[in-house]
Amino acid sequence: MKSRIVWADPVRDLALSLPLKDQQEIYSKVAPLAYFPHMYPVRSKSRRFRRHRCFFTRKWLVYYRVVDNIVYIRGLWPARIP
């Protein structure tokens, strides 16, 4: 069954402001979540995104949560602080 992917408005705006290469990398990893929403492990020890799932792209950590049949993209966090 295909899940629906819902982006939080500020997260979507941030993703759209990123360079095209970063956008493509993030969207290429978000697309399979519609079919496999539980493919990444739940992070239990995070301060801000406890009980969220997370995956890593080249420069960003993408946090999301699965509720029923909906994948909520909740956060983009820089993987490295310059």
Side-chain angles (χ1 to χ4, degrees):
M1 178 177 260
K2 188 174 179 180
S3 298
R4 191 171 69 135
I5 297 176
V6 177
W7 288 75
D9 291 337
V11 176
R12 185 186 63 235
D13 295 341
L14 175 61
L16 291 174
S17 70
L18 295 175
L20 185 61
K21 191 172 185 177
D22 291 342
Q23 286 181 30
Q24 290 172 340
E25 188 174 358
I26 290 170
Y27 291 134
S28 69
K29 288 194 173 188
V30 166
L33 294 178
Y35 295 100
F36 305 105
H38 300 285
M39 70 188 293
Y40 295 107
V42 175
R43 297 186 65 148
S44 59
K45 294 188 178 183
S46 177
R47 282 178 90 174
R48 300 183 191 279
F49 294 105
R50 185 174 290 138
R51 293 187 301 268
H52 284 68
R53 295 173 187 274
C54 175
F55 62 88
F56 174 76
T57 64
R58 198 167 43 105
K59 294 182 180 179
W60 296 92
L61 292 169
V62 180
Y63 289 92
Y64 72 96
R65 193 155 194 189
V66 180
V67 178
D68 295 330
N69 200 23
I70 303 172
V71 176
Y72 294 99
I73 308 295
R74 303 281 306 267
L76 277 176
W77 200 263
R80 297 179 247 171
I81 305 296

